[in-house]
Amino acid sequence: MTKSRPAQQTGRRLIRFGGRRGDRRYNNRTMKLLGIHHITAIAGDPQRNLDFYRKILGLRFVKRTVNFDDPSSYHFYFGDRTGTPGTVITFFPWPGARRGTRGNGQVVATSFAIPQGSLNHWSDRLKEHSVSVENISRFDEQGLRFTDPDGLLIELIASDFPSPGASRPPRDGDPAERREDGGEGNFKLSDIRGFHAPTLQLRDAGPTQKLLTETLGLEQIAEQGSRRRFSIDARSTSARVDLVERPDDPHGHIAVGTVHHMAFRTPSDEEQLKWREKLVDLGFMVSPVMDREYFHSIYFREPGGILFEIATNGPGFAIDEPVEHLGESLKLPKQFEAHRSAIEQTLPPISLG
């Protein structure tokens, strides 16, 4: 459910509605989420966003497309070499839009897993690019906290547990695995290993905890103060979620520098429909299945107000361009191809230099 701005005709394609209240065709024993699929945030200037995540964090720019509900704005995807689910952070860049505020009812921190022993490297690298860094410690793990140029809170957590899709070191000579920092130092695309536990901040965490544990299949694995950690797969950092309860904090405002939504991943269209049926049967207002070209999605709001998505693993980002050329050109869904010239003239120019 991408966020659209006023007076824009949506370009959503609906696949199937599926499910009716009281329809219990889902099977709790066979349904299992696989972890986080992607996290989507709002940025300001597109070039500045592109440069930070490619050149400083070293993520690969795996897709350049548009917001399907507002084709006058970009939708950027960054991840590992192929955009493996569990590694992908995406952005709607809105030049000139106002800054948001972090608070209750939001994903307030987006975390990535990095290898043990790499904290000093990352700290030095970020400081070299004038990024202010704070050291953090949580659940016996060490990490770094900083904000991107738009104020989005990012954490890098040193971990022994790689996420599914954690990339091996790039092969020399492979153009699809070229260094995104121009070859400076020993910085490689494999340094970020996918997501670590994002932080969801809530006024009352109880109803959200109930959704996570009783419906979505996560288990609480740790607690530290007001922070509770939940996991679907103990072997994967991208299968973790942290809840923090802040009863006295104000509600956040979603705009530039904040997370728009968080997506969980499911292995197939069939299982996604079962999740939709289950959620509808429990009284959640769930969107129809939407075709996002690279995956299929359903959306609903959890009890604390955060927008959740359940997205399929496939078909993936290589369906409309070769892996070695991901992100190099603007890709549009079929419904917008007839308007390509007008869309390209509306979008701000960007450079991969």
Side-chain angles (χ1 to χ4, degrees):
M1 189 172 291
T2 51
K3 186 173 182 179
S4 59
R5 288 177 283 184
Q8 294 290 341
Q9 185 175 3
T10 64
R12 298 180 298 186
R13 285 191 287 156
L14 310 184
I15 301 176
R16 297 164 62 187
F17 282 79
R20 299 182 301 274
R21 186 174 299 278
D23 184 350
R24 298 183 179 274
R25 288 174 291 169
Y26 54 82
N27 185 334
N28 289 337
R29 294 188 297 273
T30 62
M31 292 164 57
K32 183 176 175 62
L33 296 174
L34 303 176
I36 297 170
H37 186 285
H38 66 270
I39 292 175
T40 294
I42 302 172
D45 180 74
Q47 186 66 57
R48 184 176 62 187
N49 176 259
L50 183 63
D51 290 344
F52 184 83
Y53 286 90
R54 286 181 67 240
K55 296 182 178 181
I56 298 180
L57 293 194
L59 298 175
R60 190 175 184 202
F61 187 38
V62 294
K63 193 62 59 179
R64 181 193 319 194
T65 184
V66 294
N67 182 336
F68 286 10
D69 298 332
D70 178 5
S72 67
S73 63
Y74 281 117
H75 194 175
F76 290 166
Y77 292 78
F78 303 90
D80 69 357
R81 176 179 177 265
T82 59
T84 306
T87 74
V88 176
I89 184 168
T90 94
F91 289 91
F92 303 137
W94 290 352
R98 63 180 178 176
R99 284 278 184 101
T101 55
R102 289 189 294 274
N104 287 334
Q106 287 185 346
V107 179
V108 294
T110 300
S111 301
F112 292 98
I114 57 174
Q116 292 285 1
S118 65
L119 281 174
N120 288 339
H121 159 73
W122 275 105
S123 180
D124 291 343
R125 178 174 180 81
L126 291 165
K127 290 174 182 176
E128 287 171 3
H129 288 84
S130 301
V131 177
S132 179
V133 178
E134 175 188 358
N135 291 295
I136 60 174
S137 178
R138 181 184 303 149
F139 299 123
D140 297 323
E141 294 177 317
Q142 307 302 310
L144 303 172
R145 177 187 292 149
F146 55 94
T147 57
D148 79 358
D150 291 304
L152 186 72
L153 190 61
I154 301 291
E155 297 174 340
L156 302 180
I157 309 296
S159 177
D160 293 321
F161 297 92
S163 295
S167 53
R168 52 171 170 70
R171 293 191 299 264
D172 291 337
D174 186 338
E177 302 186 34
R178 61 192 181 280
R179 290 183 178 181
E180 296 285 352
D181 66 345
E184 299 174 6
N186 60 0
F187 186 65
K188 299 182 179 70
L189 286 173
S190 58
D191 277 359
I192 285 181
R193 304 295 179 89
F195 287 118
H196 204 290
T199 299
L200 283 59
Q201 182 176 314
L202 301 148
R203 185 185 64 81
D204 177 6
T208 302
Q209 177 173 333
K210 183 177 180 180
L211 170 69
L212 293 179
T213 57
E214 297 184 11
T215 302
L216 299 183
L218 285 78
E219 296 181 359
Q220 183 174 334
I221 60 171
E223 183 170 358
Q224 187 178 71
S226 64
R227 180 180 294 268
R228 297 173 184 175
R229 174 160 293 174
F230 302 84
S231 176
I232 301 170
D233 180 354
R235 300 168 299 176
S236 170
T237 60
S238 68
R240 301 174 184 176
V241 174
D242 285 1
L243 297 188
V244 173
E245 191 170 77
R246 296 280 189 268
D248 298 324
D249 282 10
H251 203 76
H253 173 68
I254 294 179
V256 172
T258 64
V259 171
H260 183 267
H261 67 269
M262 183 179 82
F264 293 97
R265 60 192 181 102
T266 188
S268 67
D269 291 314
E270 292 74 20
E271 192 154 313
Q272 183 184 64
L273 285 173
K274 293 177 183 178
W275 280 112
R276 187 180 188 282
E277 293 169 4
K278 181 175 184 177
L279 290 163
V280 168
D281 197 58
L282 290 170
F284 288 93
M285 298 295 294
V286 188
S287 76
V289 178
M290 297 182 184
D291 185 350
R292 299 308 191 189
E293 294 286 317
Y294 313 108
F295 47 86
H296 302 146
S297 303
I298 59 173
Y299 303 85
F300 64 101
R301 290 199 181 273
E302 56 81 33
I306 299 171
L307 184 60
F308 278 0
E309 174 183 352
I310 297 177
T312 57
N313 267 343
F317 293 104
I319 63 165
D320 57 2
E321 58 186 339
V323 169
E324 59 270 23
H325 295 296
L326 289 176
E328 293 181 6
S329 60
L330 179 68
K331 296 300 175 181
L332 297 176
K334 293 182 178 65
Q335 66 266 31
F336 293 144
E337 273 296 345
H339 309 289
R340 173 176 285 273
S341 178
I343 290 172
E344 289 180 337
Q345 291 176 27
T346 300
L347 296 171
I350 58 171
S351 170
L352 298 181

